[in-house]
Amino acid sequence: MHTADAFCKSGGTGAGTSGRTNVVYFTKESIMLADLKQKREPVELTDSWHEDKNNTAMIGAGWMNYISKDGRYIYFIENCEGSDYYMTFDLYKAPVSNPADAVKIDSKVSNFRILDNNNVIYLRKQVLYYHDGENKLKFGKNVLQYNLDEDQRNVMWMERDSGYNMTLYYQPLNQEEKKIELISDVESYRYYYDDNLENIYVLDYNIIYK
């Protein structure tokens, strides 16, 4: 029997999942996938998820979601390094029906988000990437923050140059159109946007840009 040190979010019960509910949980040694509605042993996804298996602070990895919205795919991490404040890891994707058929997405990943189409957007060494299931598309570098529209078809990100100036960009995820520079050379910012990224407001000190 495995003792769970932390749970992450469970998978959905959408089309194609036959009502199954899956959950990922961490032990000090492994990342496990369990089906809460099936009386079977949990599946071990990896036994090398972290270099220091006694560092339970790394269970902060539980803030990430590892199962796709429709419950068909699982993303999991290996070779995690760093602390609960900043960590990097190898990222893998596999079908829930056959976790052994895992494919490595990338290494040195620090942040990822599973999209509704089962693909993933992630940061690697402060460079923003979108993996469409086959290809890795590169967006900005020195990325501080990124956001998606409600339909998850477009991405907006803020990147910083070698100094302190920052630029806000916008581009479709499929990169069928070139990126658009929304605002540049701001030094201190907050930005606000609606769900469709149609109205974007940037506050640079006491000046508001739209």
Side-chain angles (χ1 to χ4, degrees):
M1 178 179 294
H2 299 276
T3 301
D5 291 291
F7 286 91
C8 87
K9 297 177 182 178
S10 61
T13 56
T17 64
S18 301
R20 292 169 54 189
T21 301
N22 298 290
V23 65
V24 171
Y25 66 91
F26 292 74
T27 72
K28 291 181 180 180
E29 300 175 349
S30 304
I31 300 177
M32 309 296 296
L33 173 66
D35 188 335
L36 300 181
K37 291 191 175 182
Q38 299 290 330
K39 294 181 179 180
R40 66 177 94 180
E41 285 294 312
V43 176
E44 184 179 66
L45 299 172
T46 178
D47 62 358
S48 57
W49 75 277
H50 187 256
E51 60 178 359
D52 179 4
K53 295 177 181 178
N54 293 318
N55 185 357
T56 55
M58 285 304 304
I59 307 258
W63 55 260
M64 290 179 282
N65 184 27
Y66 293 89
I67 303 178
S68 64
K69 184 176 181 180
D70 63 9
R72 295 173 57 198
Y73 289 93
I74 173 110
Y75 285 81
F76 64 93
I77 63 178
E78 273 192 345
N79 303 319
C80 193
E81 300 177 344
S83 70
D84 52 345
Y85 296 102
Y86 181 80
M87 57 189 178
T88 63
F89 43 82
D90 298 339
L91 180 63
Y92 291 82
K93 177 183 180 181
V96 167
S97 59
N98 186 18
D101 194 20
V103 175
K104 186 175 181 178
I105 300 296
D106 214 332
S107 60
K108 299 296 182 182
V109 176
S110 59
N111 171 285
F112 72 94
R113 178 180 173 184
I114 306 172
L115 305 188
D116 292 348
N117 61 6
N118 298 332
N119 296 329
V120 65
I121 188 169
Y122 63 94
L123 286 172
R124 179 185 186 274
K125 297 182 177 180
Q126 291 188 295
V127 179
L128 183 63
Y129 294 96
Y130 170 61
H131 196 282
D132 65 4
E134 296 182 359
N135 302 304
K136 180 171 69 173
L137 304 179
K138 179 180 177 180
F139 290 84
K141 61 182 180 179
N142 297 321
V143 174
L144 301 175
Q145 184 176 345
Y146 67 90
N147 303 90
L148 297 164
D149 65 356
E150 189 173 28
D151 295 330
Q152 299 184 346
R153 295 180 180 178
N154 303 285
V155 61
M156 176 178 66
W157 71 94
M158 180 72 77
E159 60 182 71
R160 182 173 56 195
D161 62 17
S162 57
Y164 293 96
N165 293 325
M166 291 167 281
T167 304
L168 187 64
Y169 293 99
Y170 174 95
Q171 189 174 16
L173 275 179
N174 58 21
Q175 293 190 344
E176 291 182 354
E177 300 177 20
K178 293 182 179 180
K179 68 180 181 181
I180 299 172
E181 181 181 294
L182 299 177
I183 190 170
S184 62
D185 297 328
V186 295
E187 295 183 4
S188 177
Y189 78 94
R190 292 180 181 176
Y191 65 83
Y192 308 89
Y193 54 91
D194 59 20
D195 290 341
N196 291 317
L197 303 184
E198 292 179 351
N199 296 292
I200 302 166
Y201 300 87
V202 179
L203 175 62
D204 181 24
Y205 291 108
N206 294 321
I207 302 175
I208 297 177
Y209 300 91
K210 179 179 179 181

